[in-house]
Amino acid sequence: MLRSVKATELKEVVREMLYEISQRAMELESEGKKIIKLNVGDPDQPTPKEIIDAAFEAMKQGKTKYSFYAGEKTLREKLASIHNVSAENVVIIPGSKWAFFSIMYLLLKNGGNIVIPAPYWTAYELAAKSLGVETRFLRTEIDSNWKIDTEKLRSLIDQKTRLLILNNPNNPTSKVIEKSLLEEIVEVANDKKVAIMSDEVYRDLSFVRTKSILDFGGNHILVNSFSKTFAMTGWRIGYVIVGEELAGKMVKLNQMTFTNIPVFVQEAALKALELKQKIAAGMRKLYRRRADLACKVLSKTGLKFTKPDAPFYFFPKYDNLDSERFAFDLLDNGVALTPGTSFGDYREHFRIALTMPEEEIKLGLEKICEALQ
Ligand code: PMP
């Protein structure tokens, strides 16, 4: 049982804490306890009805069989036209998470290292660790508005660096990399001949305009998902846009592993893209309101935080806080959040996800503030 984990043992479970807290919150719920779950980026919104109807229609039409390993041509062509690439560059995958694991596997199975700005989304490190890939973290700080230092970046890259992972907008900070800084980062990567894998799953919901890695040309990789923009986390569908050679390797890996994303899920994704403007605008508005509410409540405390450029997350800092202990104690108080240590060496931080109805967010934030006093 997690509650019995001693402080001295916490270091060993540190990186899995995000998943441990999540499991524990579900356990408590199944025991009948009310938990306000501000710990995971799983939108409370239902998947829009038109998307569900499209899947149902496709099922009724018999689209329930094995199909193309790369994904359906119609969906790939639609994505290609959105991103101004060829359909040959598009590979459909079971959620964007698969991209990190499979691309690291394909590019680094014979050795090498990757560079990741910190704080970073937990799964990158877990994938790297499980494949024995060396990770080099480029620390950023709340006091400098999470800005990436390009000189430090340059010094971390060496002959063996195969990938730079960017997450723009970022989970957990909700920061967008400004255009001029992104230009500088791409310049460094191009100079050093390192591919950037850009995770842009929050881009369509961003509150501010943000450039895509594809705007810069070159041999960089875009990773995207239907999970967040369309509240489709459980459908398990995402995509990558990559050079044809890597696309070919990914398709072979698909063939060896999951075969294809269910065709009816791909039809639902196609419908989602048709309705993207309307759906994304509605979601952005909703998360903007929640973010404004969170800013208001959190401002009343001694917490330090940066205003989010994107939906979902806050990553506040409280001086001298042990966020692991805090997270477990708070769980007993009916609120789940994620300690900062799940995103790198950020023990004084914690992450709040605004993926609950407003009333619950307000109550959860108030409980957090109370617990800090
Ligand atoms: N990237 C980031 C930054 C995320 O936060 C998440 C989900 N929490 C994902 C990717 C994974 O999304 P998917 O459901 O597409 O696997």
Side-chain angles (χ1 to χ4, degrees), residues 95-97 100 121 124 167 171 199 201-202 225 227-228 236 313:
S96 59
K97 209 182 212 176
F100 310 110
W121 180 47
Y124 310 141
N167 180 201
N171 170 8
D199 176 351
V201 305
Y202 297 104
S225 173
S227 288
K228 315 290 177 173
R236 308 313 301 138
Y313 307 113

Side-chain angles (χ1 to χ4, degrees), residues 282-300:
M283 296 277 186
R284 259 195 311 269
K285 202 167 153 199
L286 176 92
Y287 286 110
R288 178 81 262 183
R289 226 176 33 229
R290 292 178 181 183
D292 289 345
L293 167 74
C295 279
K296 215 161 120 192
V297 179
L298 296 177
S299 302
K300 292 181 200 144

Side-chain angles (χ1 to χ4, degrees), residues 123-135:
Y124 310 141
E125 193 191 12
L126 290 177
K129 261 190 176 166
S130 65
L131 292 166
V133 169
E134 183 199 337
T135 39

Side-chain angles (χ1 to χ4, degrees), residues 32 34 84 92 103 128 177 211 259 262-263 267 273 335:
K34 169 84 190 127
N84 212 8
I92 310 298
I103 291 175
I177 305 173
K211 283 261 167 202
T259 308
V263 178
E267 293 270 329
L273 292 176
V335 183

Side-chain angles (χ1 to χ4, degrees), residues 152-364:
K152 277 192 196 149
L153 171 66
R154 196 178 278 280
S155 69
L156 278 179
I157 297 175
D158 67 13
Q159 295 289 329
K160 291 191 171 165
T161 307
R162 299 281 168 272
L163 269 183
L164 163 63
I165 300 185
L166 292 184
N167 180 201
N168 188 26
N170 176 275
N171 170 8
T173 64
S174 286
K175 270 287 135 198
V176 158
I177 305 173
E178 277 169 26
K179 181 172 167 268
S180 57
L181 178 57
L182 191 54
E183 278 165 4
E184 281 176 43
I185 295 171
V186 173
E187 207 177 298
V188 172
N190 289 347
D191 254 17
K192 299 268 191 178
K193 300 193 170 36
V194 169
I196 296 175
M197 175 155 60
S198 183
D199 176 351
E200 300 181 4
V201 305
Y202 297 104
R203 181 164 176 258
D204 286 325
L205 295 182
S206 181
F207 304 150
V208 298
R209 274 191 181 280
T210 141
K211 283 261 167 202
S212 167
I213 200 65
L214 296 181
D215 296 332
F216 296 89
N219 209 17
H220 303 301
I221 302 166
L222 170 76
V223 180
N224 209 342
S225 173
F226 292 84
S227 288
K228 315 290 177 173
T229 312
F230 305 105
M232 289 177 73
T233 47
W235 295 68
R236 308 313 301 138
I237 179 161
Y239 63 95
V240 291
I241 293 185
V242 287
E244 280 188 33
E245 194 187 332
L246 187 54
K249 289 181 180 167
M250 288 192 75
V251 172
K252 281 199 178 125
L253 203 56
N254 291 1
Q255 176 208 325
M256 264 186 265
T257 52
F258 60 84
T259 308
N260 61 273
I261 304 306
V263 178
F264 53 85
V265 170
Q266 296 190 58
E267 293 270 329
L270 193 60
K271 175 58 75 179
L273 292 176
E274 278 168 24
L275 302 173
K276 185 166 109 178
Q277 277 205 333
K278 184 176 133 225
I279 294 173
M283 296 277 186
R284 259 195 311 269
K285 202 167 153 199
L286 176 92
Y287 286 110
R288 178 81 262 183
R289 226 176 33 229
R290 292 178 181 183
D292 289 345
L293 167 74
C295 279
K296 215 161 120 192
V297 179
L298 296 177
S299 302
K300 292 181 200 144
T301 65
L303 284 168
K304 215 183 253 179
F305 62 92
T306 46
K307 269 194 158 178
D309 295 332
F312 284 44
Y313 307 113
F314 275 68
F315 197 54
K317 181 181 181 197
Y318 193 78
D319 287 340
N320 301 317
L321 183 75
D322 178 349
S323 59
E324 291 174 12
R325 182 54 63 208
F326 183 60
F328 279 106
D329 288 345
L330 207 64
L331 204 48
D332 288 341
N333 230 332
V335 183
L337 48 72
T338 309
T341 46
S342 288
F343 310 96
D345 188 9
Y346 293 91
R347 188 168 287 273
E348 293 175 305
H349 290 258
F350 54 89
R351 191 192 72 176
I352 302 166
L354 304 180
T355 45
M356 294 287 278
E358 249 171 74
E359 270 316 297
E360 300 209 29
I361 291 174
K362 190 160 179 280
L363 191 62

